[in-house]
Amino acid sequence: MSNPYKIDWNEYAALARQAVAEGCVLLKNDDKALPIRKGERVSVFGRIQFDYYKSGTGSGGAVNTRYVTNILDALKENKDISVNEELEQTYRDWLKDHPFEKGMGWAQEPWCQEEMPVTKELAEQAAAKSDIAVVIIGRTAGEDKDNSAAEGSYLLTAAEHQMLKEVCGAFKRVAVLLNVGNIMDMKWVKEYDPAAVLYVWQGGQEGGAGAADVLTGTVTPCGKLSDTIALDISDYPSTEGFGDPTRVIYKEDIYVGYRYFETFAKDCVLYPFGYGLSYTTFTRTVESFDFDGETVTEKVTVKNTGDVQGKEVVTVFVEAPQGKLGKAARSLAAFAKTETLQPGESETLTLTFPIANLASYDDSGVTGHRFCYVLESGAYNVYTGGCVRGAKLSGSFEVKEDTVTRTCVQACAPVTKFDRMVNHNNTIAFEPAPQREYDMAARSAAALKPAKPYTGDKGIKLGDVFDGKAELEDFVAQLSDEDLICLMRGEGMNSPKVTAGTAGAFGGVTENLVNFGIPTACCADGPSGIRMDCGTIAFSLPNGTLLACTFNEKLNEELFAMQGKEQRKNRIDTLLGPGLNIHRSPLNGRNFEYFSEDPLLTGKLAAAQLRGMRRFGVTGTIKHFACNNQEFKRTEIDSVLSERALREIYLRAFETAVKEGGAYSVMSTYGGLNGIWTASNFDLLTTILRDEWGFIGTVMTDWWAKGNDREGEEATRENVAAQVRAQNDLNMVNADAASNSQHDNLDDALADGRLTRDALVRSAMNICRTVMNSPVMERSLGRMSDEEREAAEAEKTSEDYVDFNGEYQFIDGEAPLDISAVNTEKGASTILGIRYKKNGLYKFVMRVKANANEVAQIPMSIFIDGNLRGMVMINGTNGEVVTAEQDIGVLFGGTNYLKLYFGQTGMEIEEIKFVCTQAF
Ligand code: BGC
């Protein structure tokens, strides 16, 4: 029998490649310009043909891949077509003097690359010798720095304009490909009128291959836009106020993406949500429409009426009665995708949704049901089709009287007065957003239940609870206050207690906790593959936007089952992803990690990914909970929005991931949510997440996130007590939990009564539950299966073999090393030979600075003779020199190879010393 833990890398790559192809969205294809046909010759323009962007930047783009497929190489692999090699050579010659610019590290990468000037002559020469031109335009973006409505980011550069103008002037058939993480300005389509336009997004390591499959017709495009593309960035209501350094007001309320455009501004739309063309044609026939009082079920037959195979998506949108609350003209209620249909073949899809999902949250009391989800009475029209604009009326049902589907309490409501958008007869109006009417701190205090009293060590191990021989309450009652406090502190980055190079360790982070049988669980970024900063290779997956455009739950589940298997192999209990934030604005730098402007699509696909990972016993940490919609000043900004918008738009996907995806790990975010920073927001993390949704897992902070006690109070990193009170169980990340390296206020707050043991116990139980749900639990009990062990052994590689023939440097006393040869660029490693007189324990001491901010992550790994001995992770120091130290254990034998590997550009090292702390 085959070993289920063994990874078939070819199968993995094939699945990822399929996902890339299914996520590509064809926006225009005049006169069947695409696909490129057998025997045709292609001229490929744009430097991105050599420099494919596999992902955006920051933590979500830091997977060390074995390879990344470029679009040009993938096209050349296809022997049925040929590529204009003269043009290729022209680019190669130019690239010699214009190498890919990596930038200065974390958030300091350029969002686009210099483009080769394309002259009329060059374009015409190429046109004379080829049938079709492919023009590739690329952008990246990422953590800590947003897109901007400027050239080189949301807009084309002058060189890209020129390239499009000349190529479209010279060729009849031009296909423009966009290798981007997020939608961009598309006004140029009208200006240059290329025959075909294809978003290929950022597809991970198989990105070029998947895009080429669509170009050549191996795969018929079937991706659909997960966002609305408007005419101009100023058309998005979120643009006004975006980039505010202190407070972002979500005045558009629930009218995000197509909900806004379809209701108020149809004319501003260039390409609607759900739009995407195919090489074939389909008919969609609604066979039946049933409503049983609770659920709508439609059967829709999709028939391929064209002449090539393909898949098609069916969407169902609902138009709810305006009622007293006002509604968006359309809301996505269900979607499904066919399998590959041959010409003439058809498939009947069943689309179903409970009407309770259509209820709106009444935060003002206008319906008479304040703080309830209400299905307002009236006619509900159901539209079925492809894009939101094209979906046709397929049925309707009546809700006779206002019906409460869920009764809640006011939670997370704003404390800042502002006017929010409302729908008055399909014209925009504004009304004051209802304000918070209670004291969240008092609510939090009242909700805390007394824990079992401290018992001291009774000999119960966590394994006993795991095996059903003891109760969790009794286990946790044995932990001293000090142990409980340590348990709240996750360690990282690059903790030596877990898989090398990963973001964090939690659970058994101290000797005492380990002695109680709490194993040390591991989390790693995420979301598009595993990030291991010491250089370990992992599979780089397509990014969030692309996966959303597949509209394919099954494919997302299968792909993330592979990812889960890879996590299992690397002993990673939870991936820090998927990212479920809503694409509120096309300018958010991290949109590539997130799925869509629509919460249903986001939630369903995230749930599918979680189910996939869970097949191998691991999970994902859904993030960033909630409203991480702007990178600029992300640790300082307060998101101000109505409770209705929060629940219906920004929390809904998380709710789906918890309820349908079984999420048991959540990451809160950096910023504030209506005055209270999310990591310390009791309503968000307890009232809604746990009490309403039934979540029983762990919430962790984002890395070095802040907390505050009440609205208006400055949030600080030290205020971890506020986080624990809110049931943000894990504070991420601390260099050393036992010594309180981060100087948090847990001890002080416990001593002076701001924090109670009851709150610590409550969070300890949450953490223990998650640890018990993780593969590390069984492994710690020695129950790792032979199959899993064998699979892990089979994967071991000797990539760290060192072939050194340089000079050895003598470490004498504390003399600094000669570091002139050290290359600190991302992905670079330098090997130095070291010699010393004394065998003993050594410490690596480095004076270093980095010109980035305090949440920037810049890691360096220290290998001795090919074995990882430690990692130094610094945050940006804003240019100030700091000292970083790392114990590296024993140096023995007089000579060794030291390898320094840099996971990110940005360290400026002034000095490195080895200090012998104990000679043998
Ligand atoms: C990011 C998170 C990430 C964490 C660990 C933070 O900078 O916002 O998404 O998981 O770092 O790398």
Side-chain angles (χ1 to χ4, degrees):
M1 216 178 71
S2 70
N3 182 340
Y5 292 104
K6 261 194 119 177
I7 301 175
D8 179 336
W9 295 98
N10 292 332
E11 194 191 329
Y12 201 169
L15 201 55
R17 181 172 176 165
Q18 185 196 337
V20 175
E22 281 205 26
C24 289
V25 181
L26 183 67
L27 293 184
K28 189 171 190 281
N29 197 23
D30 298 347
D31 303 323
K32 298 194 173 176
L34 286 179
I36 304 166
R37 291 161 188 81
K38 209 172 175 169
E40 286 189 331
R41 190 147 189 259
V42 196
S43 286
V44 188
F45 290 87
R47 69 164 308 146
I48 295 300
Q49 63 182 297
F50 304 94
D51 297 318
Y52 179 82
Y53 282 117
K54 76 173 181 7
S55 74
T57 64
S59 63
V63 181
N64 298 303
T65 52
R66 201 175 297 283
Y67 63 87
V68 177
T69 323
N70 279 321
I71 297 173
L72 177 72
D73 293 335
L75 284 173
K76 287 168 82 175
E77 282 279 298
N78 188 323
K79 299 298 170 220
D80 288 343
I81 60 169
S82 62
V83 160
N84 177 351
E85 284 175 355
E86 234 171 85
L87 179 62
E88 179 189 341
Q89 196 51 49
T90 308
Y91 269 99
R92 286 196 189 277
D93 292 343
W94 182 83
L95 284 175
K96 281 184 201 140
D97 301 323
H98 302 84
F100 186 87
E101 200 195 326
K102 289 192 194 141
M104 295 303 292
W106 187 270
Q108 295 173 76
E109 301 92 344
W111 279 179
C112 78
Q113 296 291 320
E114 185 187 356
E115 191 49 82
M116 183 179 94
V118 174
T119 59
K120 191 168 186 210
E121 198 191 350
L122 180 72
E124 282 174 353
Q125 270 171 13
K129 291 185 196 146
S130 40
D131 304 284
I132 180 168
V134 168
V135 180
I136 311 173
I137 287 167
R139 289 287 181 278
T140 192
E143 200 169 336
D144 250 333
K145 195 173 121 189
D146 291 303
N147 297 307
S148 62
E151 288 184 8
S153 185
Y154 196 66
L155 307 178
L156 295 183
T157 62
E160 288 164 346
H161 271 288
Q162 186 200 340
M163 170 165 72
L164 284 176
K165 179 170 159 251
E166 299 305 348
V167 177
C168 292
F171 282 78
K172 272 207 203 74
R173 275 168 74 201
V174 178
V176 182
L177 267 55
L178 300 165
N179 169 209
V180 293
N182 177 68
I183 57 169
M184 63 186 293
D185 182 85
M186 299 295 284
K187 284 195 276 294
W188 51 267
V189 176
K190 194 160 176 219
E191 200 174 341
Y192 306 114
D193 198 24
V197 177
L198 183 73
Y199 268 97
V200 301
W201 311 116
Q202 292 165 343
Q205 69 186 59
E206 283 291 330
D213 285 343
V214 172
L215 281 176
T216 56
T218 311
V219 177
T220 298
C222 53
K224 308 291 170 184
L225 283 179
S226 66
D227 293 312
T228 309
I229 302 182
L231 203 54
D232 190 78
I233 189 69
S234 62
D235 294 328
Y236 296 89
S238 53
T239 303
E240 193 192 322
F242 187 89
D244 189 297
T246 52
R247 174 180 286 172
V248 179
I249 298 184
Y250 292 34
K251 63 174 177 18
E252 74 283 0
D253 211 56
I254 61 160
Y255 299 97
V256 176
Y258 69 84
R259 285 173 167 75
Y260 170 78
F261 290 106
E262 295 308 303
T263 313
F264 303 123
K266 279 189 153 180
D267 292 348
C268 296
V269 176
L270 266 183
Y271 301 101
F273 175 86
Y275 185 79
L277 303 172
S278 173
Y279 295 154
T280 184
T281 49
F282 295 95
T283 53
R284 298 183 188 87
T285 315
V286 180
E287 307 284 352
S288 61
F289 178 97
D290 289 310
F291 174 56
D292 64 4
E294 283 183 3
T295 307
V296 171
T297 306
E298 275 194 355
K299 288 202 188 309
V300 182
T301 299
V302 180
K303 183 170 185 194
N304 184 348
T305 53
D307 45 22
V308 291
Q309 48 77 24
K311 292 185 176 183
E312 184 58 311
V313 171
V314 176
T315 53
V316 177
F317 294 89
V318 169
E319 179 190 20
Q322 284 304 313
K324 297 192 176 93
L325 289 165
K327 311 281 160 56
R330 297 283 186 280
S331 298
L332 185 67
F335 63 92
K337 195 171 196 174
T338 65
E339 297 297 333
T340 301
L341 299 178
Q342 298 303 324
E345 200 184 344
S346 50
E347 181 182 340
T348 302
L349 299 171
T350 304
L351 293 108
T352 179
F353 59 92
I355 62 164
N357 281 2
L358 309 175
S360 302
Y361 185 77
D362 182 0
D363 56 3
S364 69
V366 68
T367 65
H369 304 286
R370 198 161 183 209
F371 313 134
C372 294
Y373 282 85
V374 185
L375 267 174
E376 289 199 87
S377 62
Y380 286 72
N381 296 323
V382 180
Y383 298 82
T384 303
C387 75
V388 63
R389 200 54 74 77
K392 303 261 175 353
L393 189 66
S394 54
S396 56
F397 61 91
E398 188 81 16
V399 171
K400 296 235 161 33
E401 54 192 33
D402 287 0
T403 309
V404 171
T405 58
R406 200 193 318 171
T407 305
C408 306
V409 292
Q410 188 183 36
C412 283
V415 290
T416 304
K417 292 203 163 63
F418 71 101
D419 288 340
R420 57 139 165 220
M421 192 179 284
V422 285
N423 182 359
H424 276 177
N425 301 324
N426 293 335
T427 54
I428 296 174
F430 286 89
E431 68 174 26
Q435 301 286 297
R436 194 181 305 165
E437 291 174 1
Y438 61 93
D439 181 20
M440 203 193 292
R443 176 182 279 178
S444 160
L448 195 57
K449 301 212 174 60
K452 283 200 172 172
Y454 175 56
T455 59
D457 191 349
K458 295 279 178 202
I460 309 170
K461 305 285 180 209
L462 189 60
D464 298 326
V465 181
F466 183 68
D467 287 339
K469 293 188 205 138
E471 293 299 323
L472 184 56
E473 285 82 354
D474 297 324
F475 170 75
V476 176
Q478 305 175 104
L479 304 182
S480 67
D481 292 351
E482 198 188 331
D483 286 337
L484 288 170
I485 283 178
C486 287
L487 190 56
M488 310 290 110
R489 297 180 184 139
E491 286 188 353
M493 306 189 67
N494 305 319
S495 162
K497 294 172 187 164
V498 288
T499 305
T502 55
F506 61 95
V509 289
T510 63
E511 215 181 310
N512 268 3
L513 293 170
V514 171
N515 287 340
F516 274 109
I518 307 178
T520 321
C522 176
C523 56
D525 283 311
S528 311
I530 305 168
R531 166 189 179 194
M532 289 172 282
D533 275 346
C534 52
T536 311
I537 303 291
F539 198 93
S540 159
L541 291 164
N543 292 177
T545 308
L546 184 150
L547 291 173
C549 293
T550 66
F551 276 68
N552 191 334
E553 290 176 78
K554 199 167 148 212
L555 182 58
N556 272 270
E557 182 173 332
E558 292 304 324
L559 194 58
F560 275 77
M562 283 290 192
Q563 155 72 42
K565 200 189 273 208
E566 201 187 349
Q567 271 170 247
R568 187 89 192 207
K569 169 200 155 210
N570 286 292
R571 302 190 170 192
I572 290 158
D573 299 285
T574 178
L575 187 76
L576 300 175
L580 273 64
N581 297 85
I582 293 298
H583 289 176
R584 172 178 182 255
S585 163
L587 298 181
N588 182 11
R590 290 187 90 170
N591 279 349
F592 74 98
E593 295 183 60
Y594 307 145
F595 295 88
S596 164
E597 66 188 20
D598 181 77
L600 182 95
L601 182 63
T602 301
K604 291 279 182 193
L605 295 182
Q609 294 185 1
L610 290 172
R611 286 195 298 269
M613 288 185 257
R614 194 64 192 148
R615 285 204 222 152
F616 287 89
V618 295
T619 194
T621 297
I622 53 176
K623 69 186 187 185
H624 303 89
F625 194 54
C627 295
N628 195 56
N629 296 316
Q630 174 182 308
E631 285 301 294
F632 182 58
K633 299 277 180 199
R634 61 184 172 151
T635 61
E636 285 148 55
I637 43 167
D638 185 22
S639 294
V640 175
L641 66 162
S642 78
E643 191 185 348
R644 179 178 178 194
L646 179 69
R647 286 172 174 274
E648 290 185 25
I649 305 293
Y650 298 99
L651 299 188
R652 185 161 167 208
F654 288 96
E655 184 177 351
T656 308
V658 168
K659 292 181 175 169
E660 295 177 24
Y664 57 88
S665 183
V666 168
M667 185 192 293
S668 51
T669 190
Y670 280 124
L673 175 58
N674 287 330
I676 310 275
W677 262 237
T678 63
S680 49
N681 197 311
F682 177 81
D683 271 352
L684 181 71
L685 306 184
T686 299
T687 312
I688 296 178
L689 175 66
R690 298 174 195 269
D691 297 347
E692 256 186 49
W693 300 351
F695 177 83
I696 53 163
T698 302
V699 177
M700 61 178 76
T701 62
D702 200 338
W703 270 224
W704 311 287
K706 302 171 180 176
N708 63 349
D709 290 318
R710 52 185 67 251
E711 309 80 7
E713 183 191 85
E714 194 193 335
T716 65
R717 269 199 203 174
E718 292 74 34
N719 197 353
V720 177
Q723 300 175 354
V724 176
R725 280 201 310 266
Q727 277 194 90
N728 188 117
D729 313 299
L730 281 167
N731 175 267
M732 305 301 276
V733 281
N734 297 261
D736 179 36
S739 66
N740 189 13
S741 56
Q742 194 112 299
H743 310 295
D744 68 40
N745 64 354
L746 290 177
D747 295 289
D748 292 349
L750 189 64
D752 67 22
R754 279 175 295 153
L755 183 67
T756 60
R757 182 177 161 93
D758 296 340
L760 291 169
V761 165
R762 185 178 59 177
S763 280
M765 303 222 311
N766 295 336
I767 295 168
C768 288
R769 269 194 291 267
T770 293
V771 169
M772 284 190 286
N773 236 335
S774 305
V776 71
M777 189 72 221
E778 291 216 308
R779 221 169 40 232
S780 76
L781 295 170
R783 298 181 195 160
M784 191 174 170
S785 72
D786 288 346
E787 282 174 324
E788 187 179 358
R789 190 168 294 124
E790 264 167 41
E793 283 300 316
E795 289 287 342
K796 281 206 175 128
T797 55
S798 55
E799 278 178 36
D800 282 319
Y801 172 72
V802 175
D803 186 11
F804 177 75
N805 49 21
E807 295 270 310
Y808 288 89
Q809 300 193 39
F810 205 68
I811 310 172
D812 189 9
E814 293 192 12
L817 281 184
D818 175 0
I819 50 171
S820 51
V822 175
N823 177 358
T824 62
E825 266 184 42
K826 180 179 177 170
S829 44
T830 307
I831 298 166
L832 303 172
I834 51 170
R835 309 188 63 161
Y836 43 89
K837 277 197 192 127
K838 287 184 267 183
N839 291 334
L841 288 174
Y842 278 80
K843 195 156 74 176
F844 180 95
V845 184
M846 169 166 88
R847 283 170 36 80
V848 61
K849 64 179 180 179
N851 224 343
N853 73 25
E854 59 286 349
V855 288
Q857 305 169 0
I858 311 167
M860 183 194 74
S861 313
I862 307 164
F863 294 83
I864 299 288
D865 297 344
N867 294 315
L868 185 67
R869 288 289 186 90
M871 297 188 68
V872 175
M873 223 298 302
I874 63 162
N875 294 112
T877 68
N878 292 312
E880 212 176 290
V881 177
V882 295
T883 300
E885 298 189 348
Q886 172 65 43
D887 286 323
I888 53 154
V890 175
L891 288 186
F892 194 82
T895 57
N896 296 99
Y897 304 107
L898 164 71
K899 179 171 107 175
L900 299 178
Y901 170 85
F902 294 84
Q904 183 66 253
T905 307
M907 280 197 190
E908 293 176 49
I909 304 176
E910 306 239 311
E911 184 183 275
I912 291 177
K913 289 197 288 200
F914 280 88
V915 178
C916 183
T917 51
Q918 191 191 330
F920 298 149

